């Protein structure tokens, strides 16, 4: 159910469209992986999580776990839910660090009140606007999703849902049902003047009336240049905060330690851990 970074073509419900072949093709596409990682990074950034402790996040429409990979890299824990068995099978094969649940978000979020410190969703919520079955009512499914999500989130937390609305009416329907369920907040639109880079993030607050984060690319005419500049600055900022560079020895050791805490089998650390192999001729 997770998105590819482009407006999805509706060719039936996601649990049928993403069969085993499509799920593998999706996950192995380097462009998809890159876009998914960028949108996940932005969504987690908009959550405004505390930097002094790991958090438990919900990933709605987690797909094969591409967005969850970024959550794990940031040192947080996550549970992902998706309606596509094929996508979740690929996530299991990839040995993602999060826990996985096969579920239809239109039936609600099946977790106890206050379970999560935040929620992200990448390119999934717009599926609730489709009536794939006679029994499906988009307004009712949206309200069921948002009302149970509100309950499952801790007070003072946020949900950031990246989506591809087909039109303004669909956008209004989604936002109205979220507000009806008790959320405050609104839409953050990054790069609004760029057809290619424009992204919608529904930023929702639980129990508080927070100030919406500032959208990206609103004061720069050259959207693509500004986007590249922002990405570079964000990478430098992340390194300054003391987080290990991806694929470095420290990054590998931190990832192995997280897996040990989760009770998973991990190879013992040696002097060769994280060392680059010499090229063979």
């Amino acid at each position: 159910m997770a998105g590819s970074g482009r407006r999805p073509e509706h060719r039936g419900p996601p649990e049928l469209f993403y069969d085993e072949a499509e799920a593998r093709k999706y996950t192995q596409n380097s462009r998809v992986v890159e876009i998914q990682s960028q949108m996940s990074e932005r969504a987690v950034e908009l959550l405004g999580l505390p930097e002094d402790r790991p958090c438990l996040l919900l990933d709605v429409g987690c797909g094969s776990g591409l967005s969850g990979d970024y959550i794990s890299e940031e040192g947080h824990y996550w549970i992902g839910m998706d309606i596509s068995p094929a996508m979740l099978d690929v996530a299991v094969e990839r040995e993602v660090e999060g826990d996985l649940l096969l579920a239809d978000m239109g039936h609600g979020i099946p977790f106890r009140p206050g379970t999560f410190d935040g929620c992200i969703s990448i390119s999934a919520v717009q599926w609730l606007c489709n009536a794939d079955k006679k029994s499906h009512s988009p307004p009712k499914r949206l309200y069921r999703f948002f009302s149970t999500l509100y309950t499952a989130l801790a007070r003072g937390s946020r949900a950031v849902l990246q989506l591809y609305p087909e039109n303004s009416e669909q956008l209004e329907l989604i936002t109205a049902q979220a507000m009806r369920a008790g959320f405050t907040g609104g839409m953050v639109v990054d790069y609004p003047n760029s057809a290619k880079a424009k992204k919608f993030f529904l930023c929702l607050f639980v129990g508080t009336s927070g100030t919406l984060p500032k959208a990206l690319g609103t004061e720069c005419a050259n959207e693509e240049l500004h986007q590249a500049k922002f990405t570079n600055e964000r990478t430098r900022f992340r390194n300054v905060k003391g987080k290990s560079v991806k694929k470095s020895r420290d990054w590998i050791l931190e990832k192995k330690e997280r897996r040990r805490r989760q009770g998973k089998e991990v190879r013992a650390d040696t002097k060769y851990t994280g060392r680059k192999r010499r090229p063979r001729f």
Side-chain angles (χ1 to χ4, degrees):
M1 190 179 286
S4 62
R6 57 182 174 84
R7 183 181 298 278
E9 299 177 11
H10 182 53
R11 286 176 280 183
E15 68 271 29
L16 299 180
F17 175 69
Y18 289 115
D19 58 16
E20 184 177 348
E22 284 290 339
R24 293 183 185 281
K25 179 180 176 182
Y26 176 95
T27 308
Q28 294 170 358
N29 186 309
S30 60
R31 178 60 178 163
V32 167
V33 173
E34 178 186 0
I35 294 175
Q36 191 83 355
S37 179
Q38 291 175 355
M39 293 194 295
S40 301
E41 181 176 355
R42 177 60 171 154
V44 172
E45 179 185 36
L46 290 171
L47 284 178
L49 299 172
E51 297 183 10
D52 58 346
R53 63 178 177 85
C55 296
L56 176 62
L57 304 181
L58 175 65
D59 185 357
V60 176
C62 64
S64 58
L66 297 178
S67 47
D69 287 344
Y70 179 78
I71 295 174
S72 297
E73 289 173 13
E74 290 295 290
H76 301 297
Y77 303 101
W78 59 279
I79 297 175
M81 56 181 290
D82 201 281
I83 198 173
S84 169
M87 279 290 198
L88 294 179
D89 286 344
V90 175
V92 171
E93 291 177 9
R94 295 179 60 245
E95 296 184 346
V96 297
E97 296 188 17
D99 292 321
L100 304 170
L101 174 67
L102 177 65
D104 179 356
M105 61 180 173
H107 293 165
I109 305 300
F111 292 96
R112 293 180 178 178
T115 297
F116 298 99
D117 300 306
C119 168
I120 70 167
S121 179
I122 307 299
S123 310
V125 175
Q126 70 272 349
W127 288 102
L128 289 176
C129 295
N130 299 324
D132 296 314
K133 300 178 181 178
K134 289 184 179 180
S135 60
H136 281 183
S137 166
K140 290 182 180 179
R141 283 168 59 79
L142 281 164
Y143 179 72
R144 176 66 178 170
F145 165 66
F146 282 118
S147 59
T148 52
L149 176 62
Y150 187 94
T151 301
L153 290 169
R155 302 305 91 174
S157 63
R158 299 181 186 179
V160 176
L161 316 174
Q162 184 275 327
L163 64 151
Y164 288 102
E166 290 186 358
N167 48 51
S168 59
E169 289 78 12
Q170 195 176 88
L171 199 60
E172 290 173 6
L173 173 62
I174 293 171
T175 304
Q177 295 305 94
M179 302 306 160
R180 182 185 167 208
F183 285 105
T184 57
M187 197 67 64
V188 175
V189 184
D190 286 351
Y191 310 106
N193 300 318
S194 171
K196 185 176 181 180
K198 187 176 184 179
K199 293 292 184 295
F200 292 85
F201 292 88
L202 183 57
C203 190
L204 303 173
F205 303 98
V206 182
T208 58
S209 297
T211 302
L212 277 179
K214 188 175 181 180
L216 304 179
T218 54
E219 63 279 301
C220 182
N222 190 334
E223 302 296 344
E224 293 185 356
L225 176 62
H226 189 275
Q227 185 179 34
K229 180 181 178 183
F230 177 83
T231 302
N232 292 337
E233 287 178 351
R234 195 161 57 216
T235 301
R236 288 200 299 271
F237 181 67
R238 187 164 64 247
N239 292 338
V240 168
K241 287 195 295 185
K243 295 181 179 178
S244 303
V245 177
K246 188 173 181 179
K247 303 300 183 182
S248 66
R249 175 180 170 84
D250 289 340
W251 180 87
I252 293 173
L253 291 174
E254 290 169 4
K255 184 173 183 178
K256 291 174 71 175
E257 183 58 32
R258 288 198 303 272
R259 294 175 74 87
R260 290 191 185 99
R261 290 198 298 267
Q262 294 171 353
K264 298 180 179 179
E265 293 186 7
V266 181
R267 290 184 180 180
D269 299 334
T270 70
K271 64 180 181 179
Y272 301 106
T273 301
R275 179 180 293 185
K276 291 185 178 180
R277 295 183 178 183
R278 293 180 180 178
R280 293 188 176 184
F281 296 97

